[in-house]
Amino acid sequence: MAQEKVNDLNLKDTELRLGLPGTEQVKEEQEVSCVRSNKRQLQSDNEEESTPPTKNQIVGWPPVRSYRKNNNNNGVSYVKVSMDGAPYLRKIDLKTYKNYPELLKALENMFKFTIGEYSEREGYKGSGVVPTYEDKDGDWMLVGDVPWDMFSSSCKRLRIMKGSDALALDSAL
Amino acid sequence: MDRRFPFKVLEHIFSFLDANEDRNSVSLVCKSWFETERRTRKRVFVGNCYAVNPLKVARRFPKMRSLTLKGKPHFADYNLVPDGWGGYAWPWIEAMAARRPLLEEIRLKRMVVTDECLEKIAASFRDFKTLVLTSCEGFSTDGIAAIASTCRKLRDLELRECNVDDLGGDWLSYFPETSTSLVSLDFSCLDSEIKLSDLERLLSRSPNLKSLKLNRSVTLDVLEGLLRRAPQLVELGTGSFSDELDPEEISKLTKALSELKQLKSLSGLWDLLPEYIPVLYSVCPRLTSLNLSYATVQMPDLVDLLSRCSKLQKLWVMDMIEDKGLKTVALCCKELRELRVFPSGADLDEEDVALTEQGLVSVSEGCKKLESVLYFCVQFTNAALVTIAKNRPNFRCFRLCVMEPFAPDYRTQQPLDEGFKAIVERCKDLRRLSVSGLLTDKAFEYIGVHAKKLRMLSIAFAGDSDLMLHHLLSGCESLKKLEIRDCPFGDTALLENAAKLETMRSLWMSSCFVSFGACKQLSQKMPRLNVEVIDEHPPKTRPDSSPVERIYIYRTVAGPRQDTPEFVWTIHKNPEVGVSRLSTR
């Protein structure tokens, strides 16, 4: 199930598809009980299945208590990204980015837009596109205000505002 | 002349016996010793709740003050046991409530505990002092409230990694308004917010509180106030450690932590931010136990913390500690006895894996008292295992999880047989072992030959044939618990070593090649074993050759249990009946 990765961006994520959002994601995350077979699961040839379960998909493997898995924020951390006007949501793994420029670049690529320049006083000026996020307390914040670490651990979802909403925000700032 | 010791003298002598293993041996000597021992046993331990009837236990030990029970098989921790399998606490609570109202302590692990159970405990045991629930489920915070409000002598209330139906933080307000006798309180596994004023007032009126473990929703800004009300704490589990604090708050928190002069154990630390690490500096030199496994701190920040912990005996950390961090541990934590390194779930396909076998080698060199290890790692080598074994023959517990199933020694491409051979050869006191990576039958031959004190063994994705199981069952004299998943054998070894199974507490096998016919034969051969077939997708017909998904075999004097769900079959002892589901559900 290797995914092509270029510069840490998952190319599959940048593909435009007409399917329902998240369908491929679901298939990838589906856990599979080890199938009883005469061959060892991971050494099976492709005659068995076209995509044998990877080590991350085997039930109960690695043997970490689910309590610990659920609590562990440090693994994969997918958040939904919506963009005003786009027909469906996307999902990104915040852990694959180390700082704001990387994240914003990825978002620009994903939704095919350009973001204005960020300044602490004035937010994002220029392009009428404003990235915002919902944090752990349920408040909507401007992306970029807090240190990256704090952002990535408290961000629950992203919303890229544009059009009149964004203009209103811009002028308010 | 009556050559027997007078009862009173025997009783007095037996009162010095603490270890239940000793008491069990003593009970086997003769009837009068059995009688005397049973009348003096205060702490009762039942390692498998289905091994014996609760009523019989209640009747046997009239002086029972403490009961410890374990329910589900260990692999339930990794979702290998379907929900609803069993492990119900109710029959035990009911039996004790009726016959042993002076019971003071109940400790349950991997059991289903309902609110009804908790309410029954609260209502039945007037001197109830200690409730410790580990990896339990089935109850809500309402049940906890019942305990808090009714058990006036409550000393310990600990919920360790339980799955609780969290209806809100109200339960905390149910403790009596007067001064409490609380010594330890652990609600770290609960989700919802508790009311700060409830907790502050509870701390103010609990002068004996030594251990406090908060849940994640307790924010950092309130921690200082809590600590000021409990400066006598020996164990502290913080809540979240990532909220924003202004410089004055940081300085106050630092001071409050430095006033905890008795603090030995620190945990919680959820999402610990690097900028808050200096806040902990003052407690580090006193710490004997540090649990960083929920702290998302990376290198090099971890070094600042660990290099100050010279008294550390127990360290739990995530693999972000990297080999570099473990080198620091090897240099600075000379008292270390137990190390656990958990996987953070970082992409396992990464090329630069920063935590390798080297990390464990360093610690095994530098920490001479190290005796217990749990280590998750992407890959390993035989050479490393041999070095580790040479360095640390004093291991009692060695659990290595090479996360890539069937991974060979990545340098030589050989199986890890020789590496584990070194471990069992040199570590003569080894009690618990988990193996992983590519292993042939040879590895298990070595284990069978050398691991004479081994009590618990966990195996996954290993071996070539039935020989593997045969080596273990015929060689490991002290083996009590064996759990195996995804290994290619079953029938022959099981049937040849059936008698061994009665000397063990339990055997779990899932996704192996055990046939239905073998299960039947085994059950008929061994009347005092329960052979449970656990099949969520049973075939319509069951020829003898059909494989079963999972089997759980355990010795019991209670006969087949009556509470099996529809996906569990206890193989009937009568060969003509074959299989019966004995529950009426």
Side-chain angles (χ1 to χ4, degrees):
Chain A
M1 281 243 192
Q3 292 172 337
E4 286 177 68
K5 282 200 178 190
V6 175
N7 295 337
D8 276 342
L9 292 176
N10 190 331
L11 281 185
K12 273 216 171 314
D13 270 352
T14 61
E15 269 176 28
L16 285 179
R17 294 161 294 164
L18 287 177
L20 286 171
T23 37
E24 187 152 336
Q25 213 72 52
V26 171
K27 220 168 72 172
E28 281 164 15
E29 285 168 4
Q30 204 167 41
E31 286 195 351
V32 173
S33 224
C34 250
V35 171
R36 281 187 309 276
S37 73
N38 288 328
K39 303 195 172 83
R40 286 190 189 151
Q41 193 57 39
L42 292 184
Q43 290 174 359
S44 67
D45 321 299
N46 284 331
E47 55 167 282
E48 197 81 16
E49 292 168 337
S50 52
T51 48
T54 65
K55 53 188 166 282
N56 284 328
Q57 293 173 317
I58 303 169
V59 169
W61 194 261
V64 176
R65 291 161 87 154
S66 44
Y67 172 81
R68 183 169 289 283
K69 267 190 183 147
N70 293 338
N71 264 284
N72 198 347
N73 241 3
N74 213 60
V76 174
S77 143
Y78 280 107
V79 297
K80 287 183 193 169
V81 187
S82 63
M83 170 134 164
D84 292 355
Y88 52 85
L89 304 178
R90 306 300 303 273
K91 254 189 174 177
I92 58 170
D93 175 7
L94 279 184
K95 296 299 173 190
T96 59
Y97 310 108
K98 296 196 182 60
N99 50 45
Y100 284 123
E102 279 188 28
L103 170 67
L104 293 172
K105 184 155 161 276
L107 291 176
E108 285 177 323
N109 282 338
M110 195 179 280
F111 290 100
K112 311 266 187 284
F113 64 89
T114 24
I115 251 172
E117 257 218 66
Y118 169 80
S119 77
E120 211 173 305
R121 264 187 66 216
E122 298 178 359
Y124 292 88
K125 275 212 95 146
S127 61
V129 177
V130 181
T132 63
Y133 72 100
E134 187 185 16
D135 74 359
K136 273 198 277 230
D137 301 324
D139 300 321
W140 283 91
M141 319 283 290
L142 186 68
V143 169
D145 279 344
V146 299
W148 172 260
D149 277 341
M150 208 173 274
F151 160 78
S152 70
S153 59
S154 62
C155 171
K156 275 179 24 192
R157 55 185 297 172
L158 282 157
R159 177 184 164 199
I160 302 169
M161 296 169 78
K162 68 186 242 212
S164 52
D165 274 1
L167 285 175
L169 206 64
D170 253 355
S171 54
L173 291 169
Chain B
M1 184 167 111
D2 190 340
R3 290 179 179 280
R4 287 174 303 175
F5 265 141
F7 171 77
K8 283 287 172 211
V9 175
L10 261 187
E11 195 180 31
H12 181 69
I13 296 174
F14 288 175
S15 67
F16 292 103
L17 288 175
D18 276 331
N20 275 347
E21 274 193 22
D22 293 336
R23 284 183 163 269
N24 290 344
S25 306
V26 150
S27 324
L28 294 174
V29 168
C30 63
K31 278 208 175 119
S32 83
W33 280 41
F34 177 88
E35 280 300 311
T36 311
E37 190 284 315
R38 80 175 185 85
R39 285 178 205 285
T40 57
R41 192 183 300 210
K42 294 218 177 83
R43 318 187 70 83
V44 175
F45 171 81
V46 180
N48 174 5
C49 64
Y50 290 121
V52 65
N53 185 306
L55 285 169
K56 292 221 167 110
V57 175
R59 269 190 245 127
R60 180 174 166 188
F61 300 110
K63 287 268 163 65
M64 187 195 315
R65 294 288 178 269
S66 156
L67 176 64
T68 303
L69 291 174
K70 294 189 182 179
K72 298 187 205 172
H74 172 242
F75 271 178
D77 282 355
Y78 315 132
N79 297 334
L80 292 179
V81 179
D83 277 341
W85 171 84
Y88 303 105
W90 176 255
W92 288 88
I93 309 290
E94 198 184 23
M96 298 307 148
R99 283 169 171 71
R100 298 287 157 243
L102 295 180
L103 193 63
E104 295 176 358
E105 302 178 8
I106 294 178
R107 294 177 173 80
L108 305 176
K109 188 167 189 179
R110 273 182 230 112
M111 295 194 75
V112 177
V113 181
T114 57
D115 283 348
E116 209 183 4
C117 291
L118 297 175
E119 284 151 18
K120 187 82 165 163
I121 291 173
S124 314
F125 307 113
R126 60 150 212 260
D127 286 335
F128 196 69
K129 294 196 171 68
T130 299
L131 181 67
V132 178
L133 302 178
T134 307
S135 302
C136 293
E137 51 166 1
F139 60 101
S140 78
T141 40
D142 283 352
I144 303 301
I147 298 280
S149 66
T150 319
C151 304
R152 296 273 142 165
K153 300 193 183 168
L154 193 66
R155 276 195 330 215
D156 310 294
L157 176 58
E158 296 179 26
L159 308 176
R160 301 180 186 172
E161 299 189 0
C162 294
N163 200 343
V164 185
D165 186 9
D166 196 336
L167 303 172
D170 237 12
W171 61 273
L172 197 63
S173 65
Y174 280 76
F175 283 100
E177 282 301 321
T178 55
S179 159
T180 78
S181 39
L182 272 181
V183 172
S184 89
L185 178 62
D186 179 352
F187 60 94
S188 53
C189 65
L190 296 182
D191 281 325
S192 62
E193 281 183 39
I194 42 105
K195 223 160 106 195
L196 180 62
S197 54
D198 285 344
L199 183 54
E200 285 180 337
R201 281 181 306 128
L202 179 65
L203 295 183
S204 299
R205 65 185 195 276
S206 303
N208 297 322
L209 193 70
K210 292 279 188 290
S211 171
L212 176 65
K213 297 191 180 163
L214 308 168
N215 67 353
R216 193 179 196 169
S217 69
V218 175
T219 52
L220 193 55
D221 51 330
V222 310
L223 185 59
E224 181 254 338
L226 296 173
L227 297 181
R228 271 193 293 107
R229 287 169 171 82
Q232 74 282 6
L233 284 179
V234 176
E235 292 182 350
L236 170 65
T238 72
S240 149
F241 229 91
S242 63
D243 315 292
E244 242 185 285
L245 295 184
D246 62 45
E248 199 200 325
E249 286 173 307
I250 294 178
S251 139
K252 274 168 131 188
L253 177 59
T254 310
K255 181 156 195 297
L257 278 164
S258 71
E259 316 247 279
L260 300 178
K261 302 290 182 206
Q262 323 256 27
L263 194 72
K264 294 223 166 65
S265 162
L266 185 61
S267 59
L269 301 170
W270 273 284
D271 307 318
L272 174 62
L273 291 178
E275 50 259 45
Y276 292 149
I277 289 184
V279 168
L280 303 172
Y281 284 167
S282 62
V283 302
C284 289
R286 294 189 282 273
L287 285 183
T288 57
S289 167
L290 178 59
N291 184 348
L292 289 169
S293 60
Y294 299 114
T296 45
V297 187
Q298 321 231 6
M299 290 296 283
D301 304 307
L302 275 175
V303 171
D304 299 325
L305 199 54
L306 294 169
S307 56
R308 289 171 158 80
C309 298
S310 56
K311 291 223 176 91
L312 210 56
Q313 294 179 19
K314 175 168 137 176
L315 175 63
W316 289 20
V317 73
M318 285 207 274
D319 58 12
M320 282 109 72
I321 192 174
E322 300 177 8
D323 288 347
K324 282 182 281 170
L326 287 176
K327 247 201 154 99
T328 306
V329 171
L331 278 172
C332 302
C333 307
K334 293 301 188 188
E335 298 297 313
L336 197 68
R337 275 128 167 96
E338 177 182 328
L339 173 68
R340 294 196 191 187
V341 180
F342 295 99
S344 58
D347 194 347
L348 295 172
D349 297 321
E350 256 174 41
E351 271 160 23
D352 305 318
V353 179
L355 181 92
T356 71
E357 75 279 9
Q358 249 326 110
L360 188 54
V361 170
S362 313
V363 180
S364 73
E365 260 164 28
C367 303
K368 311 250 178 266
K369 300 190 183 173
L370 187 67
E371 57 180 34
S372 172
V373 168
L374 170 61
Y375 200 78
F376 284 83
C377 191
V378 177
Q379 50 192 14
F380 230 79
T381 63
N382 281 312
L385 279 170
V386 170
T387 307
I388 290 166
K390 282 207 178 115
N391 287 337
R392 290 278 63 75
N394 46 324
F395 274 142
R396 290 172 70 94
C397 169
F398 187 76
R399 296 160 72 190
L400 175 65
C401 180
V402 177
M403 288 190 284
E404 177 78 51
F406 309 116
D409 176 325
Y410 71 90
R411 287 201 198 282
T412 66
Q413 298 309 311
Q414 294 299 302
L416 290 178
D417 296 347
E418 296 303 312
F420 280 106
K421 176 186 184 201
I423 295 281
V424 294
E425 248 183 343
R426 290 193 177 255
C427 305
K428 307 237 183 282
D429 269 334
L430 197 65
R431 296 275 193 275
R432 184 168 176 186
L433 177 66
S434 299
V435 297
S436 53
L438 182 65
L439 296 166
T440 71
D441 288 347
K442 242 257 123 306
F444 300 96
E445 186 188 333
Y446 298 142
I447 296 175
V449 165
H450 295 286
K452 293 307 182 187
K453 294 237 176 98
L454 193 68
R455 296 173 59 94
M456 181 170 176
L457 177 60
S458 310
I459 306 171
F461 307 106
D464 304 313
S465 73
D466 276 52
L467 258 185
M468 166 187 164
L469 185 57
H470 176 72
H471 288 314
L472 294 173
L473 293 178
S474 58
C476 298
E477 289 162 8
S478 310
L479 195 61
K480 291 279 173 281
K481 287 189 285 184
L482 180 58
E483 47 186 23
I484 304 176
R485 63 165 294 179
D486 294 281
C487 295
F489 55 70
D491 295 358
T492 323
L494 270 183
L495 291 171
E496 264 175 29
N497 294 281
K500 170 74 174 175
L501 297 177
E502 233 185 62
T503 69
M504 293 166 55
R505 186 187 295 170
S506 65
L507 167 64
W508 168 278
M509 290 174 69
S510 55
S511 305
C512 299
F513 290 146
V514 181
S515 73
F516 186 60
C519 292
K520 282 197 290 183
Q521 275 185 278
L522 183 63
S523 182
Q524 282 141 33
K525 213 172 163 180
M526 308 295 303
R528 284 185 302 191
L529 292 181
N530 274 356
V531 178
E532 288 189 10
V533 169
I534 303 167
D535 254 344
E536 283 179 290
H537 312 285
K540 288 207 173 63
T541 56
R542 265 199 211 274
D544 280 0
S545 57
S546 67
V548 299
E549 281 172 23
R550 313 168 183 84
I551 49 166
Y552 185 49
I553 302 170
Y554 53 91
R555 66 179 172 190
T556 178
V557 293
R561 57 184 173 111
Q562 306 293 316
D563 59 3
T564 48
E566 56 180 23
F567 53 82
V568 176
W569 290 263
T570 308
I571 306 290
H572 208 280
K573 303 302 169 184
N574 182 341
E576 268 151 42
V577 175
V579 181
S580 71
R581 192 173 308 114
L582 292 161
S583 86
T584 50
R585 240 176 273 168

